[in-house]
mmCIF file of all heavy atoms in Angstrom:
data_model
loop_
_atom_site.group_PDB
_atom_site.id
_atom_site.type_symbol
_atom_site.label_atom_id
_atom_site.label_comp_id
_atom_site.label_asym_id
_atom_site.label_seq_id
_atom_site.Cartn_x
_atom_site.Cartn_y
_atom_site.Cartn_z
ATOM 1 N N GLU A 600 -32.825 -2.442 -59.329
ATOM 2 C CA GLU A 600 -31.855 -1.354 -59.130
ATOM 3 C C GLU A 600 -31.306 -0.795 -60.446
ATOM 4 O O GLU A 600 -30.697 0.258 -60.458
ATOM 5 C CB GLU A 600 -30.719 -1.777 -58.192
ATOM 6 C CG GLU A 600 -29.819 -2.877 -58.699
ATOM 7 C CD GLU A 600 -30.313 -4.277 -58.309
ATOM 8 O OE1 GLU A 600 -31.533 -4.451 -58.068
ATOM 9 O OE2 GLU A 600 -29.475 -5.199 -58.261
ATOM 10 N N TYR A 601 -31.517 -1.513 -61.552
ATOM 11 C CA TYR A 601 -31.070 -0.940 -62.827
ATOM 12 C C TYR A 601 -32.003 0.182 -63.280
ATOM 13 O O TYR A 601 -31.596 1.084 -63.986
ATOM 14 C CB TYR A 601 -31.010 -2.010 -63.922
ATOM 15 C CG TYR A 601 -29.920 -3.037 -63.725
ATOM 16 C CD1 TYR A 601 -29.926 -4.225 -64.431
ATOM 17 C CD2 TYR A 601 -28.875 -2.811 -62.818
ATOM 18 C CE1 TYR A 601 -28.935 -5.185 -64.257
ATOM 19 C CE2 TYR A 601 -27.879 -3.750 -62.630
ATOM 20 C CZ TYR A 601 -27.915 -4.937 -63.344
ATOM 21 O OH TYR A 601 -26.945 -5.883 -63.169
ATOM 22 N N LEU A 602 -33.267 0.076 -62.908
ATOM 23 C CA LEU A 602 -34.181 1.163 -63.269
ATOM 24 C C LEU A 602 -34.004 2.242 -62.198
ATOM 25 O O LEU A 602 -34.750 2.338 -61.241
ATOM 26 C CB LEU A 602 -35.632 0.677 -63.316
ATOM 27 C CG LEU A 602 -36.584 1.686 -63.963
ATOM 28 C CD1 LEU A 602 -36.335 1.782 -65.460
ATOM 29 C CD2 LEU A 602 -38.036 1.311 -63.708
ATOM 30 N N ASP A 603 -32.979 3.039 -62.408
ATOM 31 C CA ASP A 603 -32.505 3.952 -61.372
ATOM 32 C C ASP A 603 -33.165 5.325 -61.552
ATOM 33 O O ASP A 603 -33.827 5.834 -60.651
ATOM 34 C CB ASP A 603 -30.971 4.019 -61.521
ATOM 35 C CG ASP A 603 -30.308 4.940 -60.543
ATOM 36 O OD1 ASP A 603 -30.967 5.391 -59.597
ATOM 37 O OD2 ASP A 603 -29.101 5.212 -60.713
ATOM 38 N N VAL A 604 -33.018 5.899 -62.735
ATOM 39 C CA VAL A 604 -33.631 7.191 -63.051
ATOM 40 C C VAL A 604 -34.348 7.032 -64.388
ATOM 41 O O VAL A 604 -33.799 6.427 -65.311
ATOM 42 C CB VAL A 604 -32.564 8.306 -63.182
ATOM 43 C CG1 VAL A 604 -33.210 9.635 -63.553
ATOM 44 C CG2 VAL A 604 -31.750 8.447 -61.891
ATOM 45 N N ILE A 605 -35.549 7.559 -64.491
ATOM 46 C CA ILE A 605 -36.316 7.430 -65.738
ATOM 47 C C ILE A 605 -36.345 8.758 -66.478
ATOM 48 O O ILE A 605 -36.691 9.791 -65.905
ATOM 49 C CB ILE A 605 -37.757 6.971 -65.432
ATOM 50 C CG1 ILE A 605 -37.710 5.566 -64.812
ATOM 51 C CG2 ILE A 605 -38.615 6.984 -66.693
ATOM 52 C CD1 ILE A 605 -39.064 5.003 -64.467
ATOM 53 N N GLY A 606 -35.950 8.716 -67.733
ATOM 54 C CA GLY A 606 -36.035 9.914 -68.580
ATOM 55 C C GLY A 606 -37.212 9.748 -69.522
ATOM 56 O O GLY A 606 -37.321 8.721 -70.199
ATOM 57 N N VAL A 607 -38.099 10.743 -69.564
ATOM 58 C CA VAL A 607 -39.226 10.646 -70.486
ATOM 59 C C VAL A 607 -39.110 11.750 -71.544
ATOM 60 O O VAL A 607 -38.784 12.876 -71.233
ATOM 61 C CB VAL A 607 -40.588 10.752 -69.767
ATOM 62 C CG1 VAL A 607 -40.715 9.695 -68.700
ATOM 63 C CG2 VAL A 607 -40.810 12.120 -69.173
ATOM 64 N N ASN A 608 -39.350 11.349 -72.773
ATOM 65 C CA ASN A 608 -39.275 12.315 -73.865
ATOM 66 C C ASN A 608 -40.685 12.726 -74.248
ATOM 67 O O ASN A 608 -41.584 11.901 -74.321
ATOM 68 C CB ASN A 608 -38.584 11.681 -75.077
ATOM 69 C CG ASN A 608 -37.135 11.344 -74.778
ATOM 70 O OD1 ASN A 608 -36.585 11.803 -73.774
ATOM 71 N ND2 ASN A 608 -36.513 10.560 -75.642
ATOM 72 N N TYR A 609 -40.823 14.005 -74.494
ATOM 73 C CA TYR A 609 -42.169 14.460 -74.834
ATOM 74 C C TYR A 609 -42.133 15.566 -75.877
ATOM 75 O O TYR A 609 -41.475 16.582 -75.687
ATOM 76 C CB TYR A 609 -42.903 14.953 -73.586
ATOM 77 C CG TYR A 609 -44.367 15.165 -73.870
ATOM 78 C CD1 TYR A 609 -45.190 14.072 -74.125
ATOM 79 C CD2 TYR A 609 -44.910 16.441 -73.942
ATOM 80 C CE1 TYR A 609 -46.530 14.261 -74.441
ATOM 81 C CE2 TYR A 609 -46.246 16.630 -74.252
ATOM 82 C CZ TYR A 609 -47.048 15.534 -74.501
ATOM 83 O OH TYR A 609 -48.367 15.704 -74.822
ATOM 84 N N TYR A 610 -42.842 15.324 -76.964
ATOM 85 C CA TYR A 610 -42.987 16.312 -78.029
ATOM 86 C C TYR A 610 -44.474 16.500 -78.313
ATOM 87 O O TYR A 610 -45.307 15.707 -77.865
ATOM 88 C CB TYR A 610 -42.263 15.850 -79.308
ATOM 89 C CG TYR A 610 -40.761 15.748 -79.141
ATOM 90 C CD1 TYR A 610 -40.152 14.528 -78.868
ATOM 91 C CD2 TYR A 610 -39.954 16.882 -79.244
ATOM 92 C CE1 TYR A 610 -38.772 14.433 -78.708
ATOM 93 C CE2 TYR A 610 -38.582 16.795 -79.084
ATOM 94 C CZ TYR A 610 -37.999 15.580 -78.815
ATOM 95 O OH TYR A 610 -36.643 15.493 -78.656
ATOM 96 N N VAL A 611 -44.770 17.519 -79.100
ATOM 97 C CA VAL A 611 -46.173 17.847 -79.345
ATOM 98 C C VAL A 611 -46.920 16.717 -80.056
ATOM 99 O O VAL A 611 -48.125 16.557 -79.905
ATOM 100 C CB VAL A 611 -46.299 19.202 -80.092
ATOM 101 C CG1 VAL A 611 -45.869 19.090 -81.544
ATOM 102 C CG2 VAL A 611 -47.699 19.769 -79.980
ATOM 103 N N HIS A 612 -46.166 15.888 -80.797
ATOM 104 C CA HIS A 612 -46.876 14.828 -81.534
ATOM 105 C C HIS A 612 -46.842 13.473 -80.820
ATOM 106 O O HIS A 612 -46.985 12.440 -81.466
ATOM 107 C CB HIS A 612 -46.313 14.715 -82.958
ATOM 108 C CG HIS A 612 -44.814 14.732 -83.021
ATOM 109 N ND1 HIS A 612 -44.107 15.825 -83.445
ATOM 110 C CD2 HIS A 612 -43.902 13.819 -82.669
ATOM 111 C CE1 HIS A 612 -42.815 15.564 -83.371
ATOM 112 N NE2 HIS A 612 -42.665 14.359 -82.902
ATOM 113 N N ASN A 613 -46.674 13.465 -79.499
ATOM 114 C CA ASN A 613 -46.629 12.191 -78.777
ATOM 115 C C ASN A 613 -48.006 11.621 -78.400
ATOM 116 O O ASN A 613 -48.083 10.665 -77.653
ATOM 117 C CB ASN A 613 -45.790 12.311 -77.505
ATOM 118 C CG ASN A 613 -44.301 12.243 -77.799
ATOM 119 O OD1 ASN A 613 -43.887 12.569 -78.896
ATOM 120 N ND2 ASN A 613 -43.501 11.844 -76.828
ATOM 121 N N GLN A 614 -49.068 12.237 -78.911
ATOM 122 C CA GLN A 614 -50.409 11.708 -78.622
ATOM 123 C C GLN A 614 -51.127 11.543 -79.951
ATOM 124 O O GLN A 614 -51.166 12.471 -80.751
ATOM 125 C CB GLN A 614 -51.180 12.702 -77.742
ATOM 126 C CG GLN A 614 -50.408 13.071 -76.489
ATOM 127 C CD GLN A 614 -51.315 13.513 -75.343
ATOM 128 O OE1 GLN A 614 -52.512 13.213 -75.326
ATOM 129 N NE2 GLN A 614 -50.736 14.197 -74.383
ATOM 130 N N TRP A 615 -51.685 10.351 -80.167
ATOM 131 C CA TRP A 615 -52.347 10.135 -81.456
ATOM 132 C C TRP A 615 -53.505 9.156 -81.357
ATOM 133 O O TRP A 615 -53.624 8.407 -80.389
ATOM 134 C CB TRP A 615 -51.326 9.678 -82.509
ATOM 135 C CG TRP A 615 -50.644 8.371 -82.239
ATOM 136 C CD1 TRP A 615 -51.121 7.132 -82.513
ATOM 137 C CD2 TRP A 615 -49.359 8.178 -81.630
ATOM 138 N NE1 TRP A 615 -50.213 6.170 -82.125
ATOM 139 C CE2 TRP A 615 -49.120 6.779 -81.586
ATOM 140 C CE3 TRP A 615 -48.375 9.027 -81.131
ATOM 141 C CZ2 TRP A 615 -47.950 6.223 -81.057
ATOM 142 C CZ3 TRP A 615 -47.208 8.472 -80.607
ATOM 143 C CH2 TRP A 615 -47.006 7.090 -80.565
ATOM 144 N N TYR A 616 -54.333 9.212 -82.382
ATOM 145 C CA TYR A 616 -55.427 8.242 -82.499
ATOM 146 C C TYR A 616 -54.882 6.974 -83.148
ATOM 147 O O TYR A 616 -54.138 7.044 -84.130
ATOM 148 C CB TYR A 616 -56.560 8.801 -83.375
ATOM 149 C CG TYR A 616 -57.292 9.949 -82.718
ATOM 150 C CD1 TYR A 616 -57.124 11.244 -83.176
ATOM 151 C CD2 TYR A 616 -58.142 9.710 -81.636
ATOM 152 C CE1 TYR A 616 -57.787 12.295 -82.567
ATOM 153 C CE2 TYR A 616 -58.807 10.761 -81.027
ATOM 154 C CZ TYR A 616 -58.626 12.045 -81.488
ATOM 155 O OH TYR A 616 -59.269 13.080 -80.875
ATOM 156 N N TYR A 617 -55.269 5.870 -82.552
ATOM 157 C CA TYR A 617 -54.865 4.586 -83.105
ATOM 158 C C TYR A 617 -55.367 4.474 -84.539
ATOM 159 O O TYR A 617 -56.488 4.877 -84.818
ATOM 160 C CB TYR A 617 -55.459 3.473 -82.233
ATOM 161 C CG TYR A 617 -55.041 2.106 -82.649
ATOM 162 C CD1 TYR A 617 -53.815 1.584 -82.247
ATOM 163 C CD2 TYR A 617 -55.864 1.346 -83.493
ATOM 164 C CE1 TYR A 617 -53.411 0.331 -82.665
ATOM 165 C CE2 TYR A 617 -55.459 0.084 -83.916
ATOM 166 C CZ TYR A 617 -54.230 -0.416 -83.506
ATOM 167 O OH TYR A 617 -53.839 -1.651 -83.920
#
Side-chain angles (χ1 to χ4, degrees):
E600 65 270 25
Y601 291 165
L602 192 71
D603 179 11
V604 178
I605 296 180
V607 303
N608 295 346
Y609 191 68
Y610 295 98
V611 73
H612 45 255
N613 281 26
Q614 306 206 20
W615 63 83
Y616 291 108
Y617 184 82

